[in-house]
Amino acid sequence: MSTDQLWAFHERVAAELTQRIVSEKATLEDRLRQLQAPGQAAKPDRSRRPYPKVLPKYRNPKNPGETWSGRGKRPRWLAKRLVAGSKLNDFLIARPGRKRR
């Protein structure tokens, strides 16, 4: 094939790909509009399950207002004290009926 023939073939391929992309995009946008239709939005029949309140398990003895439930990332005040050599059980909040480890 000559250079002119290759260039013409390239233009035909590019035009065909552009047409297919536009067609597929229109199809996808139509499907998206159907999914986002406000009148057809499915609402859940039940509400979210109630979760129990999580009480704090650990308290900072230097600042009793700082507590931690034991979930998530450890607070800075606790991490510093643990690095300094304290044990996690040293910060447990005493509750009746709860055994201290």
XYZ file of all heavy atoms in Angstrom:
828
model
N 0.840 -1.192 0.000
C 0.000 0.000 0.000
C 0.873 1.238 0.000
O 1.890 1.278 0.690
C -0.893 0.043 1.240
C -2.011 -0.971 1.272
S -3.026 -0.763 2.753
C -4.565 -0.418 2.021
N 0.388 2.206 -0.726
C 1.129 3.457 -0.745
C 0.757 4.283 0.479
O -0.175 3.969 1.220
C 0.801 4.241 -2.031
O -0.531 4.709 -1.957
N 1.488 5.353 0.669
C 1.242 6.230 1.817
C -0.142 6.850 1.727
O -0.851 6.953 2.743
C 2.307 7.347 1.861
O 3.605 6.746 1.821
C 2.192 8.174 3.111
N -0.559 7.247 0.530
C -1.891 7.832 0.365
C -2.988 6.817 0.689
O -3.996 7.152 1.312
C -2.070 8.347 -1.071
C -1.186 9.556 -1.349
O -0.802 10.235 -0.364
O -0.894 9.813 -2.531
N -2.783 5.579 0.261
C -3.773 4.546 0.556
C -3.830 4.251 2.061
O -4.902 4.066 2.623
C -3.439 3.267 -0.222
C -3.637 3.374 -1.708
C -3.127 2.145 -2.432
O -2.208 1.467 -1.966
N -3.714 1.853 -3.592
N -2.673 4.212 2.702
C -2.632 4.004 4.155
C -3.336 5.137 4.888
O -4.058 4.917 5.874
C -1.190 3.862 4.635
C -0.513 2.537 4.339
C 0.956 2.591 4.740
C -1.210 1.411 5.080
N -3.099 6.364 4.442
C -3.727 7.519 5.088
C -5.249 7.470 4.916
O -5.993 7.746 5.857
C -3.163 8.823 4.542
C -3.679 9.997 5.311
C -4.570 10.926 4.888
C -3.366 10.341 6.660
N -4.830 11.834 5.861
C -4.098 11.500 6.979
C -2.523 9.793 7.626
C -4.027 12.116 8.228
C -2.450 10.416 8.865
C -3.200 11.556 9.163
N -5.718 7.106 3.753
C -7.159 6.996 3.511
C -7.757 5.884 4.378
O -8.843 6.048 4.949
C -7.420 6.722 2.025
N -7.035 4.767 4.497
C -7.502 3.676 5.349
C -7.553 4.118 6.807
O -8.513 3.823 7.532
C -6.564 2.466 5.176
C -6.969 1.280 5.997
C -8.124 0.568 5.695
C -6.203 0.859 7.081
C -8.498 -0.525 6.444
C -6.570 -0.224 7.836
C -7.721 -0.930 7.524
N -6.563 4.845 7.249
C -6.522 5.372 8.616
C -7.719 6.281 8.872
O -8.359 6.194 9.930
C -5.211 6.141 8.852
C -5.214 6.968 10.089
N -5.152 6.431 11.347
C -5.291 8.317 10.268
C -5.179 7.401 12.248
N -5.263 8.559 11.607
N -8.045 7.142 7.916
C -9.189 8.054 8.084
C -10.497 7.283 8.155
O -11.383 7.635 8.941
C -9.205 9.078 6.952
C -8.103 10.114 7.083
C -8.102 11.119 5.944
O -8.750 10.855 4.897
O -7.460 12.165 6.104
N -10.655 6.228 7.359
C -11.883 5.420 7.416
C -12.016 4.709 8.764
O -13.087 4.655 9.363
C -11.891 4.393 6.274
C -12.188 4.991 4.906
C -12.573 3.913 3.886
N -11.696 2.741 3.888
C -10.711 2.521 3.031
N -10.476 3.393 2.061
N -9.976 1.436 3.110
N -10.908 4.156 9.236
C -10.924 3.465 10.533
C -11.244 4.455 11.656
O -12.060 4.172 12.544
C -9.571 2.748 10.788
C -9.469 2.251 12.228
C -9.387 1.602 9.815
N -10.624 5.623 11.637
C -10.870 6.632 12.666
C -12.326 7.082 12.642
O -12.953 7.256 13.700
C -9.935 7.823 12.473
N -12.909 7.249 11.445
C -14.305 7.659 11.331
C -15.230 6.573 11.867
O -16.198 6.862 12.583
C -14.643 7.983 9.872
N -14.942 5.319 11.558
C -15.755 4.201 12.039
C -15.682 4.101 13.570
O -16.697 3.915 14.245
C -15.300 2.893 11.398
C -16.075 1.673 11.826
C -17.524 1.673 11.364
O -17.835 2.306 10.338
O -18.346 1.028 12.045
N -14.482 4.237 14.122
C -14.328 4.181 15.581
C -15.052 5.336 16.264
O -15.701 5.149 17.304
C -12.845 4.189 15.961
C -12.072 2.905 15.668
C -10.590 3.086 15.979
C -12.636 1.747 16.469
N -14.967 6.516 15.700
C -15.655 7.670 16.260
C -17.158 7.446 16.264
O -17.845 7.731 17.260
C -15.314 8.946 15.466
O -13.894 9.130 15.474
C -15.986 10.162 16.042
N -17.684 6.901 15.166
C -19.118 6.634 15.073
C -19.543 5.606 16.129
O -20.558 5.771 16.797
C -19.468 6.131 13.670
C -20.937 5.809 13.501
C -21.233 5.168 12.142
O -20.324 4.921 11.360
N -22.496 4.905 11.898
N -18.771 4.560 16.293
C -19.106 3.529 17.285
C -19.023 4.079 18.712
O -19.847 3.730 19.564
C -18.185 2.325 17.131
C -18.486 1.523 15.892
C -17.649 0.287 15.829
N -17.876 -0.430 14.575
C -17.418 -1.634 14.329
N -16.706 -2.279 15.229
N -17.662 -2.211 13.169
N -18.046 4.904 18.972
C -17.912 5.503 20.304
C -19.103 6.398 20.611
O -19.675 6.347 21.700
C -16.581 6.279 20.418
C -15.411 5.303 20.458
C -16.566 7.177 21.655
C -14.046 5.961 20.377
N -19.511 7.221 19.644
C -20.656 8.111 19.840
C -21.921 7.297 20.071
O -22.732 7.607 20.959
C -20.808 9.066 18.630
C -22.130 9.792 18.665
C -19.656 10.054 18.595
N -22.089 6.230 19.314
C -23.267 5.380 19.461
C -23.295 4.712 20.836
O -24.323 4.691 21.517
C -23.277 4.321 18.359
O -24.311 3.396 18.584
N -22.177 4.171 21.255
C -22.104 3.500 22.562
C -22.308 4.502 23.700
O -22.972 4.207 24.694
C -20.749 2.800 22.710
C -20.620 1.950 23.943
C -21.545 0.750 23.954
O -21.968 0.286 22.878
O -21.857 0.278 25.064
N -21.766 5.690 23.554
C -21.933 6.725 24.576
C -23.405 7.115 24.706
O -23.926 7.269 25.814
C -21.090 7.947 24.226
C -21.117 9.026 25.269
C -20.209 10.181 24.887
C -20.318 11.294 25.905
N -19.520 12.460 25.539
N -24.095 7.247 23.587
C -25.521 7.590 23.621
C -26.323 6.491 24.297
O -27.230 6.760 25.105
C -26.035 7.838 22.207
N -25.981 5.231 24.022
C -26.664 4.108 24.653
C -26.449 4.120 26.167
O -27.389 3.947 26.949
C -26.154 2.771 24.072
O -26.325 2.792 22.659
C -26.892 1.593 24.667
N -25.218 4.336 26.581
C -24.910 4.369 28.013
C -25.590 5.539 28.714
O -26.083 5.399 29.839
C -23.395 4.417 28.216
C -22.633 3.152 27.845
C -21.134 3.386 27.939
C -23.047 1.992 28.719
N -25.624 6.694 28.087
C -26.288 7.852 28.687
C -27.784 7.612 28.821
O -28.399 8.011 29.814
C -26.007 9.109 27.873
C -24.592 9.621 28.042
C -24.278 10.818 27.152
O -25.087 11.139 26.257
O -23.218 11.425 27.367
N -28.384 6.942 27.836
C -29.805 6.614 27.916
C -30.077 5.660 29.076
O -31.021 5.848 29.840
C -30.264 5.986 26.590
C -31.758 5.742 26.575
O -32.508 6.629 27.015
O -32.167 4.646 26.123
N -29.226 4.654 29.245
C -29.386 3.719 30.364
C -29.197 4.427 31.693
O -29.906 4.149 32.665
C -28.376 2.581 30.225
C -28.722 1.641 29.079
C -27.690 0.581 28.868
N -27.550 -0.279 30.036
C -26.581 -1.175 30.187
N -25.675 -1.318 29.231
N -26.522 -1.920 31.260
N -28.268 5.356 31.747
C -28.036 6.115 32.976
C -29.239 6.976 33.322
O -29.641 7.059 34.491
C -26.781 6.975 32.829
C -26.352 7.772 34.058
C -26.041 6.833 35.219
C -25.149 8.632 33.745
N -29.844 7.592 32.318
C -31.052 8.402 32.561
C -32.175 7.537 33.101
O -32.927 7.944 33.982
C -31.489 9.095 31.270
C -30.871 10.463 31.065
C -31.558 11.215 29.941
N -31.421 10.540 28.634
C -30.370 10.648 27.839
N -29.355 11.394 28.200
N -30.330 10.017 26.686
N -32.314 6.323 32.597
C -33.353 5.418 33.088
C -33.106 5.036 34.535
O -34.045 4.917 35.320
C -33.411 4.159 32.223
C -33.961 4.394 30.842
C -33.900 3.138 29.989
O -33.344 2.123 30.395
N -34.454 3.225 28.787
N -31.857 4.846 34.889
C -31.536 4.490 36.273
C -31.757 5.651 37.231
O -32.083 5.449 38.389
C -30.082 4.017 36.370
C -29.781 2.666 35.734
C -28.286 2.397 35.778
C -30.533 1.566 36.462
N -31.597 6.872 36.751
C -31.710 8.043 37.606
C -33.096 8.665 37.590
O -33.296 9.717 38.173
C -30.684 9.100 37.193
C -29.266 8.690 37.470
C -28.281 9.740 36.994
O -28.617 10.603 36.195
N -27.059 9.661 37.476
N -34.056 8.033 36.954
C -35.406 8.598 36.877
C -35.968 8.768 38.287
O -36.019 7.831 39.065
C -36.304 7.693 36.053
N -36.439 10.007 38.645
C -36.885 10.256 40.016
C -38.151 9.496 40.392
O -38.320 9.109 41.532
C -37.116 11.760 40.062
C -37.289 12.170 38.646
C -36.517 11.186 37.822
N -39.048 9.251 39.474
C -40.290 8.567 39.790
C -40.110 7.072 39.981
O -40.933 6.409 40.594
N -39.022 6.530 39.471
C -38.817 5.087 39.527
C -37.797 4.691 40.579
O -37.391 3.540 40.636
C -38.354 4.583 38.165
C -39.350 4.824 37.061
C -38.792 4.405 35.720
O -37.632 4.016 35.609
N -39.611 4.488 34.693
N -37.366 5.617 41.399
C -36.357 5.302 42.408
C -36.938 4.357 43.447
O -37.980 4.613 44.030
C -35.865 6.576 43.078
N -36.268 3.248 43.649
C -36.735 2.257 44.628
C -36.302 2.692 46.021
O -35.134 2.978 46.260
C -36.160 0.894 44.294
N -37.257 2.727 46.934
C -36.960 3.092 48.309
C -36.935 1.822 49.146
O -37.765 0.933 48.959
C -38.016 4.061 48.843
C -38.010 5.373 48.116
C -39.018 6.324 48.689
C -38.998 7.627 47.920
N -39.987 8.564 48.377
N -36.014 1.736 50.069
C -35.975 0.530 50.894
C -37.222 0.433 51.770
O -37.743 1.426 52.255
C -34.719 0.709 51.741
C -34.392 2.154 51.671
C -34.977 2.681 50.390
N -37.704 -0.796 51.962
C -38.914 -1.020 52.742
C -38.666 -0.909 54.240
O -39.586 -0.680 55.011
C -39.488 -2.408 52.437
C -39.958 -2.514 50.999
O -40.235 -1.463 50.402
O -40.050 -3.645 50.489
N -37.443 -1.075 54.641
C -37.163 -1.037 56.064
C -36.088 0.000 56.367
O -35.296 0.360 55.511
C -36.726 -2.406 56.555
C -35.550 -2.961 55.805
C -35.306 -4.415 56.204
N -34.509 -5.084 55.221
C -33.184 -5.163 55.254
N -32.519 -4.589 56.220
N -32.537 -5.797 54.309
N -36.095 0.446 57.596
C -35.098 1.434 57.985
C -33.814 0.722 58.401
O -33.772 -0.496 58.537
C -35.629 2.288 59.135
O -35.868 1.471 60.262
N -32.791 1.500 58.618
C -31.501 0.964 58.980
C -31.561 0.344 60.374
O -32.224 0.858 61.266
C -30.468 2.078 58.946
C -29.078 1.600 59.141
C -28.109 2.725 58.935
N -26.773 2.263 59.255
C -25.703 3.000 59.177
N -25.811 4.238 58.778
N -24.543 2.520 59.488
N -30.847 -0.731 60.543
C -30.826 -1.443 61.816
C -30.241 -0.546 62.895
O -29.195 0.078 62.707
C -29.969 -2.698 61.651
C -29.739 -3.479 62.907
C -29.017 -4.771 62.582
N -27.589 -4.629 62.494
C -26.744 -4.918 63.476
N -27.199 -5.343 64.622
N -25.454 -4.787 63.295
N -30.891 -0.458 64.064
C -30.337 0.373 65.139
C -29.123 -0.302 65.769
O -29.152 -1.495 66.070
C -31.491 0.471 66.140
C -32.312 -0.734 65.897
C -32.169 -1.055 64.446
N -28.074 0.452 65.937
C -26.862 -0.053 66.548
C -26.822 0.380 68.007
O -27.253 1.485 68.345
C -25.629 0.473 65.821
C -25.450 -0.148 64.462
C -25.933 0.475 63.323
C -24.810 -1.371 64.320
C -25.789 -0.106 62.068
C -24.657 -1.954 63.080
C -25.143 -1.316 61.961
O -24.995 -1.897 60.741
N -26.279 -0.459 68.880
C -26.220 -0.079 70.284
C -25.203 1.042 70.502
O -24.233 1.173 69.755
C -25.769 -1.364 70.981
C -25.057 -2.143 69.933
C -25.722 -1.786 68.635
N -25.454 1.837 71.524
C -24.535 2.910 71.854
C -23.238 2.299 72.373
O -23.255 1.351 73.154
C -25.146 3.812 72.925
C -24.296 4.987 73.269
C -24.983 5.873 74.279
C -24.087 7.045 74.619
N -24.683 7.888 75.644
N -22.113 2.815 71.923
C -20.816 2.298 72.328
C -20.298 3.153 73.475
O -20.093 4.360 73.316
C -19.818 2.314 71.155
C -18.471 1.780 71.594
C -20.355 1.509 69.997
N -20.122 2.538 74.604
C -19.630 3.251 75.785
C -18.106 3.267 75.785
O -17.470 2.333 75.282
C -20.146 2.575 77.051
C -21.657 2.547 77.218
C -22.039 1.732 78.437
C -22.208 3.958 77.326
N -17.503 4.283 76.385
C -16.039 4.312 76.443
C -15.505 3.241 77.388
O -16.118 2.929 78.401
C -15.735 5.715 76.957
C -16.971 6.190 77.604
C -18.106 5.486 76.941
N -14.372 2.677 77.048
C -13.736 1.650 77.871
C -12.472 2.155 78.541
O -12.043 1.608 79.541
C -13.381 0.430 77.008
C -14.571 -0.307 76.460
C -14.110 -1.500 75.653
C -15.296 -2.192 75.023
N -14.880 -3.310 74.176
N -11.874 3.189 77.954
C -10.597 3.680 78.455
C -10.703 5.187 78.709
O -11.355 5.913 77.972
C -9.479 3.398 77.446
C -9.395 1.938 77.071
C -9.993 1.462 75.920
C -8.734 1.038 77.893
C -9.935 0.119 75.582
C -8.664 -0.312 77.562
C -9.265 -0.761 76.416
O -9.205 -2.088 76.089
N -10.034 5.650 79.774
C -10.073 7.067 80.134
C -8.662 7.548 80.434
O -7.872 6.842 81.048
C -10.960 7.267 81.358
C -10.970 8.696 81.867
C -11.989 8.927 82.945
N -13.291 9.030 82.291
C -14.379 8.395 82.697
N -14.353 7.629 83.754
N -15.518 8.532 82.042
N -8.374 8.770 80.023
C -7.097 9.405 80.307
C -7.119 9.886 81.756
O -7.934 10.726 82.108
C -6.884 10.574 79.342
C -5.536 11.227 79.505
O -4.760 10.883 80.385
N -5.251 12.184 78.634
N -6.237 9.373 82.621
C -6.263 9.803 84.016
C -5.878 11.272 84.198
O -6.335 11.920 85.141
C -5.260 8.890 84.712
C -4.554 8.140 83.660
C -5.275 8.339 82.370
N -5.090 11.818 83.297
C -4.696 13.228 83.409
C -5.812 14.159 82.949
O -5.889 15.298 83.405
C -3.434 13.491 82.589
C -2.208 12.822 83.168
C -0.976 13.214 82.397
C 0.250 12.583 83.022
N 1.482 12.949 82.313
N -6.644 13.703 82.020
C -7.760 14.504 81.523
C -8.962 13.568 81.375
O -9.130 12.941 80.332
C -7.403 15.144 80.178
C -8.501 16.044 79.667
O -9.551 16.186 80.279
N -8.252 16.646 78.509
N -9.813 13.462 82.409
C -10.932 12.516 82.367
C -11.925 12.754 81.234
O -12.721 11.882 80.923
C -11.610 12.707 83.720
C -10.592 13.335 84.588
C -9.709 14.135 83.689
N -11.875 13.891 80.599
C -12.772 14.152 79.476
C -12.364 13.416 78.219
O -13.152 13.299 77.280
N -11.142 12.907 78.185
C -10.660 12.163 77.020
C -10.890 10.677 77.250
O -10.321 10.083 78.171
C -9.176 12.429 76.784
C -8.873 13.850 76.384
C -7.395 14.094 76.189
O -6.570 13.409 76.817
O -7.070 14.983 75.398
N -11.736 10.103 76.427
C -12.044 8.677 76.537
C -11.911 8.024 75.179
O -11.854 8.702 74.146
C -13.476 8.460 77.064
O -14.399 9.080 76.174
C -13.639 9.012 78.475
N -11.903 6.679 75.206
C -11.813 5.910 73.973
C -12.618 4.637 74.143
O -12.548 3.972 75.181
C -10.355 5.592 73.676
C -10.112 4.845 72.405
C -10.591 5.136 71.173
C -9.318 3.673 72.249
N -10.136 4.232 70.245
C -9.346 3.318 70.886
C -8.576 2.895 73.113
C -8.673 2.217 70.374
C -7.894 1.800 72.603
C -7.949 1.469 71.248
N -13.387 4.278 73.136
C -14.257 3.099 73.222
C -13.511 1.809 72.885
O -14.038 0.731 73.088
C -15.438 3.253 72.278
O -14.979 3.244 70.940
N -12.310 1.914 72.364
C -11.572 0.729 71.948
C -11.768 0.422 70.483
O -11.234 -0.552 69.971
N -12.538 1.242 69.798
C -12.773 1.066 68.366
C -12.026 2.142 67.591
O -11.916 3.269 68.034
C -14.257 1.171 68.044
C -15.069 0.069 68.654
C -16.492 0.181 68.220
N -17.296 -0.907 68.739
C -18.555 -1.088 68.460
N -19.179 -0.265 67.655
N -19.215 -2.098 68.975
N -11.572 1.788 66.442
C -10.896 2.770 65.594
C -9.444 2.959 66.018
O -8.883 2.201 66.815
N -8.858 4.012 65.492
C -7.461 4.299 65.762
C -7.284 4.748 67.206
O -8.124 5.467 67.747
C -6.989 5.390 64.804
C -5.517 5.636 64.847
C -5.100 6.641 63.790
C -3.613 6.892 63.892
N -3.173 7.883 62.928
N -6.195 4.349 67.820
C -5.930 4.752 69.198
C -5.695 6.253 69.253
O -4.994 6.820 68.413
C -4.690 4.054 69.739
C -4.930 2.617 70.053
C -3.714 2.015 70.713
N -4.008 0.637 71.049
C -3.091 -0.297 71.191
N -1.822 0.002 71.007
N -3.440 -1.515 71.511
N -6.244 6.913 70.286
C -6.013 8.351 70.410
C -4.554 8.642 70.758
O -3.839 7.792 71.297
C -6.956 8.774 71.538
C -7.380 7.536 72.213
C -7.144 6.400 71.291
N -4.131 9.847 70.495
C -2.732 10.239 70.712
C -2.323 10.123 72.172
O -1.221 9.688 72.476
C -2.506 11.664 70.211
C -2.566 11.769 68.724
C -2.292 13.182 68.275
N -2.570 13.300 66.863
C -2.915 14.407 66.271
N -3.034 15.520 66.955
N -3.155 14.421 64.978
N -3.211 10.547 73.060
C -2.848 10.502 74.472
C -2.570 9.067 74.915
O -1.663 8.820 75.699
C -3.928 11.141 75.356
C -5.278 10.480 75.312
C -6.335 10.815 74.526
C -5.713 9.353 76.087
N -7.393 9.984 74.748
C -7.048 9.079 75.711
C -5.126 8.547 77.055
C -7.790 8.039 76.273
C -5.877 7.521 77.609
C -7.186 7.275 77.221
N -3.312 8.115 74.398
C -3.124 6.711 74.774
C -1.876 6.147 74.115
O -1.094 5.430 74.745
C -4.351 5.893 74.397
C -4.328 4.424 74.776
C -4.166 4.256 76.280
C -5.585 3.735 74.303
N -1.663 6.464 72.870
C -0.484 5.963 72.162
C 0.797 6.438 72.836
O 1.748 5.656 73.005
C -0.524 6.410 70.704
N 0.823 7.699 73.277
C 2.015 8.234 73.946
C 2.275 7.503 75.257
O 3.414 7.180 75.582
C 1.840 9.725 74.219
C 1.917 10.583 72.991
C 1.679 12.037 73.344
C 1.593 12.898 72.105
N 1.271 14.299 72.417
N 1.209 7.248 76.001
C 1.371 6.586 77.296
C 1.800 5.131 77.122
O 2.560 4.600 77.919
C 0.067 6.660 78.096
C -0.434 8.065 78.400
C 0.364 8.788 79.467
N 0.315 8.185 80.773
C -0.556 8.491 81.727
N -1.439 9.428 81.532
N -0.508 7.873 82.887
N 1.301 4.467 76.073
C 1.693 3.085 75.828
C 3.157 2.992 75.423
O 3.863 2.062 75.827
C 0.794 2.449 74.764
C -0.659 2.233 75.158
C -1.460 1.712 73.973
C -0.786 1.306 76.346
N 3.628 3.960 74.643
C 5.032 3.987 74.247
C 5.907 4.221 75.470
O 7.012 3.682 75.585
C 5.278 5.071 73.164
C 6.750 5.302 72.942
C 4.607 4.669 71.870
N 5.395 5.003 76.424
C 6.152 5.312 77.632
C 6.227 4.123 78.586
O 6.946 4.183 79.585
C 5.531 6.507 78.340
N 5.475 3.043 78.303
C 5.587 1.853 79.124
C 4.333 1.482 79.889
O 4.320 0.469 80.584
N 3.281 2.259 79.797
C 2.039 1.902 80.484
C 1.363 0.747 79.768
O 1.622 0.479 78.598
C 1.086 3.107 80.498
O 1.653 4.174 81.197
N 0.508 0.069 80.468
C -0.278 -1.024 79.897
C -1.672 -0.517 79.560
O -2.181 0.397 80.207
C -0.403 -2.185 80.887
C 0.914 -2.745 81.339
C 1.498 -3.587 80.248
C 2.792 -4.229 80.755
N 3.636 -4.694 79.720
N -2.297 -1.118 78.570
C -3.638 -0.716 78.150
C -4.644 -0.889 79.290
O -5.543 -0.074 79.470
C -4.066 -1.511 76.919
C -5.362 -1.103 76.246
C -5.299 0.341 75.770
C -5.670 -2.009 75.092
N -4.461 -1.928 80.086
C -5.372 -2.174 81.204
C -5.300 -1.089 82.276
O -6.212 -0.975 83.099
C -5.089 -3.540 81.824
C -5.495 -4.663 80.904
O -6.305 -4.469 80.005
N -4.928 -5.836 81.107
N -4.225 -0.304 82.299
C -4.115 0.783 83.283
C -5.149 1.866 83.034
O -5.446 2.663 83.933
C -2.721 1.413 83.234
C -1.626 0.424 83.608
O -1.946 -0.590 84.273
O -0.464 0.653 83.226
N -5.716 1.919 81.860
C -6.638 2.993 81.497
C -8.092 2.539 81.447
O -8.972 3.315 81.086
C -6.235 3.576 80.139
C -4.816 4.062 80.118
C -3.813 3.298 79.570
C -4.497 5.280 80.699
C -2.506 3.739 79.579
C -3.182 5.726 80.701
C -2.184 4.958 80.153
N -8.352 1.283 81.799
C -9.723 0.772 81.793
C -10.601 1.555 82.756
O -10.171 1.916 83.854
C -9.744 -0.711 82.180
C -9.425 -1.704 81.080
C -9.294 -3.101 81.657
C -10.486 -1.681 80.008
N -11.817 1.794 82.349
C -12.798 2.450 83.214
C -13.438 1.356 84.051
O -13.968 0.373 83.517
C -13.863 3.192 82.378
C -13.202 4.288 81.556
C -14.952 3.741 83.280
C -14.137 4.967 80.580
N -13.396 1.512 85.371
C -13.951 0.502 86.272
C -15.471 0.563 86.209
O -16.073 1.614 86.397
C -13.470 0.741 87.688
N -16.081 -0.583 85.927
C -17.540 -0.690 85.894
C -17.943 -1.867 86.758
O -17.244 -2.896 86.756
C -18.040 -0.899 84.468
C -17.855 0.306 83.602
C -18.909 0.295 82.481
N -18.795 1.493 81.699
C -18.066 1.621 80.611
N -17.367 0.610 80.159
N -18.039 2.768 79.959
N -19.061 -1.775 87.448
C -19.496 -2.903 88.257
C -19.791 -4.124 87.384
O -20.376 -3.993 86.308
C -20.769 -2.414 88.940
C -21.030 -1.038 88.454
C -19.938 -0.639 87.532
N -19.361 -5.282 87.834
C -19.631 -6.511 87.097
C -18.652 -6.780 85.967
O -18.777 -7.756 85.258
N -17.671 -5.913 85.797
C -16.705 -6.096 84.726
C -15.368 -6.513 85.328
O -14.864 -5.868 86.251
C -16.533 -4.799 83.939
C -15.686 -4.964 82.725
C -15.899 -3.843 81.797
N -14.597 -3.284 81.448
C -14.450 -2.190 80.748
N -15.495 -1.514 80.371
N -13.273 -1.748 80.447
N -14.793 -7.579 84.811
C -13.529 -8.072 85.326
C -12.391 -7.294 84.706
O -12.392 -7.011 83.515
C -13.358 -9.556 84.995
C -14.372 -10.425 85.681
C -14.151 -11.862 85.277
C -15.212 -12.742 85.892
N -15.070 -14.131 85.467
N -11.432 -6.956 85.494
C -10.244 -6.279 84.996
C -9.193 -7.325 84.696
O -8.924 -8.190 85.508
C -9.744 -5.313 86.054
C -9.004 -4.181 85.456
C -8.733 -3.133 86.470
N -8.013 -2.101 85.768
C -7.849 -0.892 86.196
N -8.378 -0.554 87.323
N -7.187 -0.021 85.510
N -8.599 -7.283 83.538
C -7.621 -8.286 83.135
C -6.257 -7.994 83.671
O -5.746 -6.988 83.787
C -7.559 -8.356 81.613
C -8.861 -8.809 81.049
C -8.764 -8.838 79.545
N -10.100 -9.031 79.009
C -10.401 -8.858 77.763
N -9.493 -8.493 76.907
N -11.597 -9.069 77.330
